[in-house]
Amino acid sequence: MMPLRKTPLLPPPLWTLLGCGALGGVFASLLEQSGQRVQVLLRDAQRSRLHPDFDFIALDSSHHLLGITRCFTDQVASVRRLLVMTKAHQVITALTPLVGKLSPAVPIVLLHNGMGVAEQVARLFPDNPLLVGVTNHGAMRCGHFAYRHTGKGETWVGPFNDAAKAYQNLAEDLARALGDAGWDEDIRQRQWQKLAINCMVNPLTALHKVKNGELATPRFADALDQLSVELCDVMQAEGLHASAEELKRRTITVCELTADNYSSMLQDMEAGRLTEIESITGFLLARADAHDIAVPVNRSLYHAIKEKQA
Ligand code: NAP
Ligand code: PAF
């Protein structure tokens, strides 16, 4: 009888998370809890600071202390798959120190709100498989390396370039940690749907200083009508499937589901942080201009946010 050959047990894949804020901290914790290996790549300036265990508060309010490894740019050779979870306008600055150091075999996954950043990342890392995604999990930072998971949602990733098409397994690994996560070859459609919701909810809530739920009241019905028609025109010109009624309906559903929340743009404005307006409405305006489509209501919201931000 032939002896059975032992299959070597491969270690679970190592995820490296760049951007360990609210969402990055929660994703790192969920990946760690699912038995996958995780390290977070911090700014070099954070090297000399104290790095306590992660204090992770799960959806059921249970506390978990997690010993998640920290690494810095001089350890880039250890990176096997890179999940970038900074704000949209921080992605390029965060990735630039890795240029020429990150192996071209490493898949890069971008999971920020807004669009238009992947094109710049592709120029910095032309040979790496590049994936983009959307998520509607909710996360909060509540202290030094302390994170609270505030809402479970869906996560979708898909290929931005051809090299990324072979990386469906990353979506499977994310699903083991996050629950609802999937692969979508046509991820652009989902990115635009999320962009449309962000174009409506974020500037309106930030300018009027209201909770998301307020947008579902008659007071904002006209604004949502006009914004959704403009967004629909641009999406159709981009070759995407869109209907203004559907965009408005989805937006109102999100506002009802998150009625008590303050949008990320309102929170950023109140805290005096740069908002993601450039990657949200700014991206929409750039695409509208490329198609010669007038988007006056989105444009006025963009300028109003820029003015307040300045
Ligand atoms: P956040 O709390 O501000 O986290 C961003 C993190 O990136 C921070 O820890 C920041 O470090 C880090 N970072 C920035 N520049 C860096 C650099 N050069 N090198 C290393 N790290 C750097 O933001 P967030 O709420 O997690 O959001 C991240 C993205 O997810 C955004 O696009 C957001 O719209 C999207 N999103 C968030 C949620 C949510 O519930 N939070 C839900 C869905 C989508 P410092 O703190 O030191 O600056
Ligand atoms: O940016 C945000 O706050 C969220 O993406 C959304 C969907 C607008 C809900 O608050």
Side-chain angles (χ1 to χ4, degrees), residues 228-243:
S228 56
V229 167
E230 292 181 8
L231 282 153
C232 177
D233 288 349
V234 180
M235 284 179 72
Q236 286 177 348
E238 287 279 299
L240 297 157
H241 163 79
S243 107

Side-chain angles (χ1 to χ4, degrees), residues 198-217:
N198 285 135
C199 281
M200 291 193 249
V201 179
N202 291 17
L204 282 177
T205 51
L207 290 169
H208 293 274
K209 300 191 183 205
V210 292
K211 288 182 175 176
N212 292 350
E214 191 68 22
L215 295 196
T217 65

Side-chain angles (χ1 to χ4, degrees), residues 113 194 197-198 201-202 212 254 258 261-265:
N113 277 352
K194 173 110 205 237
I197 293 171
N198 285 135
V201 179
N202 291 17
N212 292 350
V254 168
T258 60
N261 294 5
Y262 292 104
S263 75
S264 56
M265 196 168 284

Side-chain angles (χ1 to χ4, degrees), residues 149-194:
H149 193 192
T150 54
K152 193 165 190 255
E154 288 181 4
T155 302
W156 291 93
V157 291
F160 185 79
N161 60 13
D162 281 343
K165 289 186 178 158
Y167 286 87
Q168 293 200 18
N169 61 315
L170 297 195
E172 287 157 22
D173 290 345
L174 284 175
R176 285 199 284 127
L178 307 174
D180 272 342
W183 175 262
D184 191 345
E185 200 82 13
D186 189 16
I187 191 72
R188 232 174 114 251
Q189 176 79 34
R190 288 187 192 275
Q191 285 185 290
W192 267 94
Q193 269 161 5
K194 173 110 205 237

